[in-house]
Amino acid sequence: EAGVAQSPRYKIIEKRQSVAFWCNPISGHATLYWYQQILGQGPKLLIQFQNNGVVDDSQLPKDRFSAERLKGVDSTLKIQPAKLEDSAVYLCASSSPPGHRTDTQYFGPGTRLTVL
Amino acid sequence: KQEVTQIPAALSVPEGENLVLNCSFTDSAIYNLQWFRQDPGKGLTSLLLIQSSQREQTSGRLNASLDKSSGRSTLYIAASQPGDSATYLCAVTSGTYKYIFGTGTRLKVLA
């Protein structure tokens, strides 16, 4: 079974530029998560999707971050404009059965973003 | 607000040693607790998942325990090997089923 795919793996941009990350979850997983992991810290949930809908985006900086889940499968996370403090690894995860509290989340390899 | 703390932040041990990693959380109303491993430049791999009604889980050389009342979990690694070198993260699920992670323990096992 294929795992969670993410692209790009690395991205370097200058502050105030825009950037987008893509995630393809495990086939059949209805729940998709985006996490931000700053160096030396644990991952922090940015947004959680259940199919097309948003379950939790309480920690998403909505003035600059946006996310969508296309047709309940792939997802894109965008930052516009980027700040220096956005430098981090962005992890995508998916889980099944949908949103059940006993789920195990499966993580992609992450995208490492550096903002100069 | 749930907070998860892991001690120690870093650990270096010789090969063959048994070791214990600690995780503590402030709100005992959790659904489950999970231990993950993270290798440099890679995503997270689930090691053990303990439901709130369980006390421990075992997988190979790994044993994780959970004491909800005291807000603690330990991950025991027996007979450590250089291949165990990684960052170990614990996460609790509560509220809207989202994971709240600790800051991790960076483990280095010396050959």
Side-chain angles (χ1 to χ4, degrees):
Chain A
E1 161 180 277
V4 177
Q6 290 188 247
S7 68
R9 291 296 311 277
Y10 306 92
K11 190 74 177 178
I12 301 174
I13 62 173
E14 296 191 349
K15 59 183 179 183
R16 291 187 289 275
Q17 286 188 324
S18 301
V19 65
F21 312 128
W22 174 83
C23 173
N24 180 245
I26 292 174
S27 177
H29 280 191
T31 309
L32 185 147
Y33 311 79
W34 281 103
Y35 291 88
Q36 179 192 58
Q37 186 176 22
I38 293 172
L39 186 64
Q41 299 182 17
K44 181 184 79 172
L45 180 70
L46 293 176
I47 189 167
Q48 177 182 346
F49 290 96
Q50 180 78 10
N51 297 309
N52 291 344
V54 175
V55 173
D56 188 334
D57 64 357
S58 57
Q59 298 189 98
L60 186 74
K62 298 180 184 64
D63 58 333
R64 297 184 301 105
F65 286 65
S66 64
E68 61 179 2
R69 190 168 184 199
L70 308 173
K71 300 179 181 178
V73 181
D74 294 4
S75 179
T76 303
L77 177 69
K78 297 180 181 177
I79 307 175
Q80 180 180 10
K83 294 185 175 181
L84 296 177
E85 58 261 36
D86 298 332
S87 294
V89 175
Y90 291 84
L91 295 164
C92 179
S94 67
S95 68
S96 180
H100 194 279
R101 65 187 188 195
T102 59
D103 271 347
T104 292
Q105 293 185 17
Y106 296 88
F107 284 78
T111 296
R112 182 177 297 278
L113 173 67
T114 302
V115 182
L116 303 176
Chain B
K1 177 186 175 185
Q2 179 75 270
E3 293 183 2
V4 181
T5 305
Q6 290 187 246
I7 294 174
L11 183 63
S12 183
V13 300
E15 181 178 7
E17 273 204 8
N18 302 324
L19 54 98
V20 174
L21 307 182
N22 296 293
C23 172
S24 61
F25 46 95
T26 55
D27 185 351
S28 61
I30 64 171
Y31 296 134
N32 58 48
L33 182 144
Q34 195 159 357
W35 284 92
F36 291 87
R37 168 183 174 142
Q38 186 172 32
D39 293 282
K42 297 186 179 181
L44 280 66
T45 302
S46 176
L47 297 173
L48 290 165
L49 170 68
I50 311 175
Q51 306 296 346
S52 61
S53 58
Q54 297 176 322
R55 294 300 299 265
E56 65 177 346
Q57 283 287 338
T58 298
S59 176
R61 294 182 293 109
L62 305 179
N63 175 275
S65 66
L66 174 64
D67 184 343
K68 266 185 50 176
S69 61
S70 66
R72 293 179 182 177
S73 175
T74 60
L75 178 66
Y76 176 83
I77 303 177
S80 58
Q81 302 171 358
D84 295 329
S85 298
T87 295
Y88 291 81
L89 293 154
C90 70
V92 297
T93 307
S94 57
T96 56
Y97 311 145
K98 67 183 181 185
Y99 282 16
I100 299 177
F101 283 84
T103 51
T105 294
R106 293 188 310 279
L107 172 66
K108 187 169 186 178
V109 180
L110 305 171

